[in-house]
Amino acid sequence: MDLTYADYLHVEELLALQKPRSDPAEHDELLFIVVHQAYELWFKLLLHELDKVKADFVAGRTYPAIGTFKRARTIMKVAVEQVDIVETLTPMSFNSFRDRLDKASGFQSSQFREMEFLLGYKRAEMLEHQKPGTASYDQLVKRLNEPSVVDAFYTYLGHHGVAIPEHLAARDRTQPTLPDEAVEEGILRLYKSQPDLEILFELMTDFDEGLQEWRYRHIKLVERTIGSKRGTGGSLGVEFLKRSLFHPVFPDLWAIRHRL
């Protein structure tokens, strides 16, 4: 039998994965499930693309990294636009099925935490909100301990003559990325001398801005939907989310903006 569209994409199985818990079914619960499942698919793709960026950086491949960051930034735009869909839920409509979520919360998304770790925003305490012994927990531990995209970026800069300080090259991989003046000086020199690298650096900044935009939209979504209530699953809600707002994953690219 010839392969069909439905077979290739496993459409039948995919469409069977939306299982509202409200009984009788609340109309808006399906929207909530579909959007969040779509987010998990986008996170999966972003992890796939960012792993490629790491490999491109380590190998010193500029143009493949440019293409991949352009794709990643476009995915982030779609993720931000999906917030518009969720915002069609009023607080009343969300509360009509919110108690069915029990202790489930987007706060527990292991793929989003994995993406943060991969990008260098590492916080070991986030493991406390995952279930030990699961494949997702083990994957997060692996991401926590391995070099991040930023570490690979340091290698890439080294290919272009930037001397990476020893304290960065030998640093504890479980710690978050911090800005460094020596790295910033090297990036500034490349900005002004190599136009193709300027394109890459701007796309990296675009992606970083897109991630920060998604965080902001997510915070406002939660705030308008549940206000100051704690999140589902006992998460800290809006106040916790605000702690990561405007936290760049490529701080050195932002630190030199006023000198360009």
Side-chain angles (χ1 to χ4, degrees), residues 46 49-50 53 65-81 200 202-214 254:
L46 281 168
E49 300 298 342
L50 291 171
V53 163
I66 286 174
T68 304
F69 261 114
K70 183 176 181 180
R71 177 181 295 172
R73 174 62 179 109
T74 305
I75 294 169
M76 284 308 310
K77 286 182 179 180
V78 173
V80 171
E81 288 171 355
L200 172 62
E202 285 300 293
L203 282 169
M204 292 172 66
T205 306
D206 284 346
F207 172 81
D208 201 344
E209 184 177 352
L211 182 58
Q212 293 178 60
E213 183 182 4
W214 186 85
W254 292 94

Side-chain angles (χ1 to χ4, degrees), residues 26-44:
E26 292 290 345
H27 177 80
D28 289 336
E29 189 177 1
L30 181 61
L31 179 152
F32 187 83
I33 292 172
V34 167
V35 169
H36 285 82
Q37 287 182 341
Y39 269 127
E40 290 298 326
L41 289 173
W42 289 127
F43 294 158
K44 181 175 182 177

